Amino acid sequence: MKYLIGIDLGTSGTKTVLFDESGKSIASATVEYPLIQPKNGWAEQDPADWWDACVKTLKQVMEKSGISAGDVAGIGISGQMHGLVLLDANGEVLRNSIIWCDGRTTAECAEITETIGAKRLIEISANPALTGFTAGKILWVRKNEPEIYAKARHILLPKDYLRYKLCGVFATEVSDASGMNLLDVPKREWSAEILEKLGIEWEFLPSMHESCEVTGYITAKAAALTGLKEGIPVVGGAGDNAAAAIGTGIVESGKAFITIGTSGVIFAHSDAVTIDPEGRVHTFCAAVPGAWTVMSCTLAAGGSLQWFRNNFCTAEMQAAEGLNKDVYILLDKQAEQVPIGSNRLLFLPYIMGERSPVLNPEARGVFFGLSGMHKRPDMLRAVMEGVVYSQLDCLQVLREMNVPFRQMMATGGGGRSPMWRQMMADVFDCPIVTSGNKEGPALGVAILAGVGAGIYSGIPAACKKIISENEPQLPDKARHAEYGAYYELYREVYGQLKGQFKKLAAL
């Protein structure tokens, strides 16, 4: 029996899982690390924390499983997208990574748009210049920290930094690189035109690969630190959502998933390049060779509920700890007691600004309709409904683009909530299913590793063998109509406040 490892570098922590050839989880481990916010709207992390978590979780899964390191056939890495990691000529980190939810690069994004041209940028990179994307971060460092940029010799994405530490190579793959504003997405290669016009050094960028290609091998130094064996192949891996698509079987036309983690994503597979000319949603290369994906990203989906929990639900958190239960189970029970519409209370989940589909880093969270009758459970349900309305905003764009899907798979923390899944089914008017496999991104990159190692003949074949689906939760037409009235008002509220958000940001 051969085994595969999936490493998932997330925003809150890194999770490493060891699987057997059938996709069964044998051992897993997670190590968390902090988010650094030096200023309002900024978000950074220390790559040393990622590497420390990677080493610790690899050691733990090898020790827990008891298997021989020689039986590990391959490793895949998934990671949070868009983060900027700058290394010097010796491969040393020059500054904290500016990560995906950082919003400081508004001016740089405007510069990119003006330099390349809005239409031309979308034609090449399939996306507008966004504050979350990597190119703006590169320009920001070059402009604001020139002494650091002068020492830079390598530009990596977060998961590719782990690859460098494990294998000693500078490499990336198409799905993650699609979120940099530097890739020619239709051609699946770096864009010479964008790099030249922005003055970004070609030699700073890593080599480009497909997600299931072998990119390097575990070094003796990494093997000694982690308990792995020198020479284990490491494949390209994937950005977190592309990895989740593999891990949930979204590898052919007609399939889509929604994930409500810190961010919120709707992700659909496409066999052809399909680009929204307005740039409201993103088109990226899929982890499946020769395929693409269309996806949205809202910045504070589960993050909005986590914010509410941390600030207003101390009693529930303490009760959950005493009962040894997930606090979100207790919160679901409270929200279930509140009717649709949260007693005429709406929440706009823009606490980190917003990306899809409104592209507004100055947007902020809003409770609309708050009155003396409202209590904490009303606010709780309003947060949950507002997050789902924000996902419907994105889903409507995919429908405009004629991206096909028959049902939607729910993943992430929000996907574990039966209440939230039913809310999605009713609001979207679409069946919602869950996967029988619980590991998502880690399983996805383990499957990619299995393809690269020759264990599986290809990605779709591996997914058919490994991935299972649970019974769907079906939409209710009456509830869909009731939610619809609140959704229309939700959309109007943002439109009315858009100018006020700009004024607030200028104060």
Side-chain angles (χ1 to χ4, degrees):
M1 172 73 76
K2 290 294 184 181
Y3 298 87
L4 301 163
I5 291 176
I7 303 169
D8 181 25
L9 190 169
T11 307
S12 59
T14 288
K15 182 176 186 179
T16 297
V17 187
L18 184 140
F19 301 91
D20 66 16
E21 293 176 31
S22 71
K24 179 183 177 183
S25 172
I26 304 300
S28 68
T30 301
V31 170
E32 297 184 347
Y33 33 71
L35 176 68
I36 303 163
Q37 294 186 279
K39 295 183 180 181
N40 184 32
W42 290 23
E44 300 183 355
Q45 287 184 321
D46 184 349
D49 290 337
W50 301 337
W51 175 234
D52 177 67
C54 178
V55 170
K56 287 178 178 176
T57 54
L58 282 167
K59 286 183 69 173
Q60 288 174 32
V61 298
M62 294 305 296
E63 291 169 358
K64 286 180 183 178
S65 67
I67 71 162
S68 168
D71 289 331
V72 177
I75 297 172
I77 313 172
S78 162
Q80 51 168 294
M81 297 178 69
H82 316 308
L84 172 64
V85 183
L86 285 174
L87 307 182
D88 65 16
N90 297 316
E92 297 296 325
V93 175
L94 288 167
R95 71 173 324 281
N96 284 339
S97 172
I98 306 174
I99 68 168
W100 63 275
C101 53
D102 187 280
R104 77 183 72 179
T105 60
T106 301
E108 288 71 29
C109 289
E111 178 183 344
I112 292 169
T113 303
E114 182 177 355
T115 302
I116 309 297
K119 181 181 177 184
R120 183 60 179 153
L121 181 63
I122 292 176
E123 287 174 349
I124 300 172
S125 75
N127 297 281
L130 300 176
T131 55
F133 281 20
T134 319
K137 298 178 172 82
I138 296 170
L139 269 59
W140 187 92
V141 174
R142 189 169 68 188
K143 181 191 302 181
N144 293 278
E145 299 174 346
E147 71 288 352
I148 288 176
Y149 193 80
K151 298 175 183 177
R153 293 298 180 270
H154 300 282
I155 293 170
L156 293 177
L157 293 162
K159 79 171 193 318
D160 300 323
Y161 177 69
L162 295 187
R163 184 195 325 279
Y164 165 66
K165 297 291 285 185
L166 289 168
C167 305
V169 298
F170 301 106
T172 192
E173 49 70 46
V174 293
S175 75
D176 208 357
S178 295
M180 295 180 74
N181 274 143
L182 300 177
L183 190 75
D184 187 321
V185 169
K187 294 181 179 179
R188 305 169 86 89
E189 62 186 31
W190 295 122
S191 169
E193 180 179 340
I194 292 177
L195 293 173
E196 181 181 349
K197 288 182 176 178
L198 296 183
I200 295 173
E201 294 83 346
W202 184 292
E203 62 271 19
F204 286 10
L205 297 176
S207 60
M208 185 66 62
H209 301 266
E210 290 292 336
S211 300
C212 55
E213 288 181 16
V214 174
T215 57
Y217 301 87
I218 296 297
T219 64
K221 182 178 180 180
L225 289 171
T226 60
L228 297 171
K229 183 179 179 181
E230 182 182 0
I232 296 172
V234 177
V235 298
D240 50 6
N241 291 298
I246 304 295
T248 52
I250 311 301
V251 295
E252 58 189 11
S253 183
K255 291 194 171 185
F257 76 77
I258 178 171
T259 182
I260 296 183
T262 303
S263 60
V265 169
I266 293 179
F267 185 110
H269 182 95
S270 177
D271 292 329
V273 183
T274 307
I275 299 173
D276 175 33
E278 297 179 40
R280 294 168 295 175
V281 295
H282 315 312
T283 297
F284 294 150
C285 299
V288 180
W292 287 262
T293 60
V294 181
M295 64 170 282
S296 62
C297 181
T298 58
L299 297 182
S304 290
L305 186 59
Q306 183 183 51
W307 163 80
F308 189 83
R309 179 203 70 178
N310 291 346
N311 288 283
F312 304 106
C313 301
T314 303
E316 287 80 0
M317 293 169 69
Q318 292 172 346
E321 186 176 355
L323 295 169
N324 197 27
K325 281 189 173 183
D326 184 344
V327 65
Y328 291 112
I329 295 175
L330 304 185
L331 297 183
D332 276 4
K333 291 187 179 301
Q334 289 192 14
E336 284 173 352
Q337 306 306 310
V338 179
I340 288 173
S342 306
N343 288 312
R344 297 185 178 86
L345 180 63
L346 294 172
F347 177 73
L348 275 59
Y350 304 145
I351 60 173
M352 293 294 292
E354 192 52 287
R355 184 188 297 180
S356 302
V358 299
L359 303 177
N360 188 354
E362 295 173 339
R364 290 294 178 264
V366 174
F367 278 106
F368 177 76
L370 192 64
S371 74
M373 68 161 288
H374 289 120
K375 297 181 174 58
R376 187 171 51 187
D378 300 302
M379 300 174 73
L380 169 63
R381 183 174 180 114
V383 169
M384 298 178 75
E385 289 181 345
V387 168
V388 177
Y389 295 150
S390 75
Q391 303 312 300
L392 180 56
D393 266 352
C394 301
L395 185 60
Q396 302 288 49
V397 178
L398 268 64
R399 287 169 171 163
E400 286 179 29
M401 296 169 66
N402 295 315
V403 175
F405 52 89
R406 299 178 296 274
Q407 65 180 22
M408 191 168 292
M409 181 172 285
T411 66
R416 290 194 291 270
S417 164
M419 179 197 168
W420 227 347
R421 292 198 305 270
Q422 189 61 54
M423 191 183 291
M424 293 177 210
D426 294 337
V427 171
F428 300 163
D429 195 23
C430 172
I432 301 291
V433 300
T434 55
S435 173
N437 310 78
K438 302 301 182 186
E439 297 298 348
L443 176 59
V445 290
I447 289 172
L448 294 173
V451 174
I455 291 174
Y456 311 125
S457 61
I459 296 169
C463 288
K464 285 178 182 177
K465 177 181 177 182
I466 292 170
I467 307 300
S468 62
E469 294 180 359
N470 298 317
E471 286 296 310
Q473 287 180 245
L474 302 175
D476 180 278
K477 295 293 184 184
R479 290 196 294 263
H480 174 68
E482 195 170 353
Y483 278 118
Y486 287 100
Y487 170 65
E488 290 304 319
L489 182 57
Y490 166 92
R491 295 192 68 197
E492 289 179 22
V493 171
Y494 171 74
Q496 293 293 324
L497 290 179
K498 184 177 179 180
Q500 280 64 43
F501 288 139
K502 191 172 187 65
K503 289 181 180 178
L504 181 64
L507 290 179

